[in-house]
Amino acid sequence: MPGHAEIPPAVRSAIVFPAARFDGALLARLGKSGPRYTSYPTADRFGADFGPGDYLAAVAARRQRGGRPLSLYVHIPFCDTVCYYCACNKIVTRKHERAATYLDYLKREITMQSQLFAGMNEVEQLHFGGGTPTFLLDAEMDDLMAHLQASFRFAPDALGEYGIEVDPRTVSPERVHSLRQQGFNRISLGVQDFDPDVQRAVNRVQPEAETVAIIDAARAADFRSVSIDLIYGLPKQTLVSMAQTLDKVIQASPDRISVYHYAHMPHLFKPQRRILEADMPSADTKLGMLQLCIERLGAAGYVYIGMDHFAKPGDDLAVAQRQGRLHRNFQGYSTHADADLVACGVSSIGAVGATYSQNAKTLEDYYALIDAGALPLQRGIRLGMDDLLRRAIIQKLMCQFELSVAAIEQAFPIVFADYFAAELAALREMQADGLVQVDDAWISVTPKGRLLIRNLCMVFDRYLGQQAGGPRFSRTI
């Protein structure tokens, strides 16, 4: 907002961002395909010309500068059933012995990575994703966590954020307590929808009582944060069913709630072909569901963080946003902006220094590279000055909904108005729609523009449209 330069930092940290403002006609008109900006450049720009040597150089450069805190991501790709809506990198199998083989290779990769970062700063953040991380048996998780803790130096439980995604159908309350003892202090539950008809339509039948029991167990086990994932736009969903699900979620009182828009792209994801087109809600109904989520969660006291994330005002995400420390990475919004992301497991993506790297996407390639004694990464990208500049701008807009022109000019050798003349012209057109305010000192996203933040960030993306065949992204709304 204009005038922010005169507001002392201590006062600004207490500012609560205005709630997102819903304008259905505007959202319907401006919604289009676009990146979610969990990285910039986005993963479709990664190439095979980036290899292990480039990654080793990035680690060496980071060591030379003294290192930064580490964030670890561990990918467990297995699920025992397929959810029809899912677009994750996963392997559906009921052959549990495949997990034992995978864990052997995963631990070997963890050892390689730990040797590269030996003596550098400690791990402050850990996230297990998938797939279904709790596909692993309790004893297997014990073994894996012990290996991680022997390989890396972790911050104390009170300081570190150690999270895991769980499918309530695959864990018991006793398993939740075990996860806490193994070192996890944050837990995220996939719910998607409580309506039985919707659950059957997406092949994920999950009784409400089962989910609530896991939430209660997480509270009893002293998890610091409980998150719930919902999806709107699923088959069989209606405004009534969505309202009932929201009522139940609010009653459960999680610390964070993610409400994702279902991206129906059956041409890309085979499981989605099992969803009947006739069961899909209309575009108007989906917009109505989004409005319902924003209004109901706002009335219940949740802060709209951005994109699809809501949090209680005292949650670390909300605090980080108020203090200007919020960050966005491949797991969504994060409080650890100053950490290098070390990723382990098939298909996982890391970010060290001015690079991104992705591991082999198939188990066969992943295993073959590790057997050859090599890091299992297959592609990535080195960021140039223009990439770093645009990444900084997109991060600020995605996380803080405002950008100080002077701060960018101090960090990069540019004159903002000259370097981004075309982008500023495009933003001024969006200003006419009430999405953003632009002046010589600040770019400020309005409450109306917060729901179209991806559109605003796309203005600064120089790669859009360069790829043959066009980008393959979900819709921004």
Side-chain angles (χ1 to χ4, degrees), residues 306-322:
M307 287 283 291
D308 25 45
H309 283 55
F310 298 79
K312 290 182 177 180
D315 183 84
D316 288 348
L317 275 186
V319 173
Q321 186 176 63
R322 293 196 297 271

Side-chain angles (χ1 to χ4, degrees), residues 316-340:
D316 288 348
L317 275 186
V319 173
Q321 186 176 63
R322 293 196 297 271
Q323 295 178 348
R325 298 184 292 104
L326 195 65
H327 179 62
R328 189 161 173 80
N329 61 22
F330 294 101
Q331 285 79 61
Y333 285 103
S334 166
T335 60
H336 289 258
D338 60 343
D340 283 315

Side-chain angles (χ1 to χ4, degrees), residues 57-68 70 117 120 340 352-354:
V59 175
R62 180 60 74 205
R63 181 180 292 278
Q64 191 173 24
R65 296 188 184 99
R68 295 199 301 181
L70 298 181
F117 289 90
M120 294 171 70
D340 283 315
V352 176

Side-chain angles (χ1 to χ4, degrees), residues 176-420:
V176 171
H177 282 264
S178 185
L179 290 170
R180 183 68 181 97
Q181 292 168 3
Q182 287 160 350
F184 296 103
N185 56 28
R186 294 178 177 273
I187 191 168
S188 176
L189 285 70
V191 172
Q192 322 321 340
D193 194 293
F194 277 125
D195 185 86
D197 290 338
V198 177
Q199 291 181 355
R200 283 189 289 271
V202 298
N203 197 41
R204 188 187 175 102
V205 176
Q206 183 175 316
E208 176 191 351
E210 192 174 80
T211 301
V212 172
I214 299 306
I215 294 173
D216 290 343
R219 299 287 190 207
D222 199 29
F223 274 84
R224 281 217 308 273
S225 175
V226 177
S227 303
I228 280 182
D229 291 345
L230 301 176
I231 299 178
Y232 73 93
L234 291 173
K236 300 284 188 180
Q237 272 182 337
T238 66
L239 287 171
V240 172
S241 72
M242 194 74 211
Q244 292 170 342
T245 289
L246 286 170
D247 287 344
K248 294 172 181 177
V249 169
I250 291 167
Q251 178 66 31
S253 191
D255 302 283
R256 299 176 187 176
I257 301 171
S258 297
V259 187
Y260 299 106
H261 171 229
Y262 169 58
H264 190 56
M265 296 187 284
H267 60 292
L268 295 180
F269 307 110
K270 284 186 178 181
Q272 295 186 359
R273 297 172 193 172
R274 303 186 192 185
I275 291 176
L276 300 177
E277 293 286 344
D279 289 340
M280 295 296 294
S282 69
D284 285 346
T285 299
K286 287 189 286 187
L287 279 178
M289 291 177 187
L290 175 61
Q291 181 178 10
L292 189 67
C293 291
I294 292 167
E295 292 176 351
R296 286 286 181 91
L297 294 178
Y302 286 89
V303 175
Y304 178 67
I305 301 296
M307 287 283 291
D308 25 45
H309 283 55
F310 298 79
K312 290 182 177 180
D315 183 84
D316 288 348
L317 275 186
V319 173
Q321 186 176 63
R322 293 196 297 271
Q323 295 178 348
R325 298 184 292 104
L326 195 65
H327 179 62
R328 189 161 173 80
N329 61 22
F330 294 101
Q331 285 79 61
Y333 285 103
S334 166
T335 60
H336 289 258
D338 60 343
D340 283 315
L341 176 60
V342 178
C344 296
V346 64
S347 79
S348 61
I349 301 176
V352 176
T355 69
Y356 292 112
S357 56
Q358 183 170 25
N359 279 352
K361 290 186 175 182
T362 68
L363 288 181
E364 292 76 15
D365 289 344
Y366 179 74
Y367 293 164
L369 286 165
I370 293 175
D371 278 336
L375 288 168
L377 63 88
Q378 279 192 330
R379 65 185 197 129
I381 190 170
R382 295 175 295 276
L383 278 62
M385 192 280 285
D386 181 78
D387 295 324
L388 294 169
L389 167 61
R390 292 173 185 271
R391 179 172 75 172
I393 290 170
I394 289 170
Q395 278 276 344
K396 280 293 184 185
L397 292 176
M398 291 290 289
C399 297
Q400 304 305 135
F401 298 104
E402 63 181 8
L403 177 73
S404 165
V405 171
I408 293 295
E409 291 179 335
Q410 288 169 8
F412 296 90
I414 65 162
V415 176
F416 197 98
D418 296 339
Y419 198 95
F420 292 113

Side-chain angles (χ1 to χ4, degrees), residues 416-417 420-443 456 459:
F416 197 98
F420 292 113
E423 288 84 353
L424 288 169
L427 285 180
R428 289 191 174 97
E429 292 183 12
M430 293 180 164
Q431 183 170 276
D433 281 319
L435 304 183
V436 63
Q437 295 176 355
V438 182
D439 61 30
D440 293 340
W442 287 87
I443 296 172
L456 292 166
V459 169

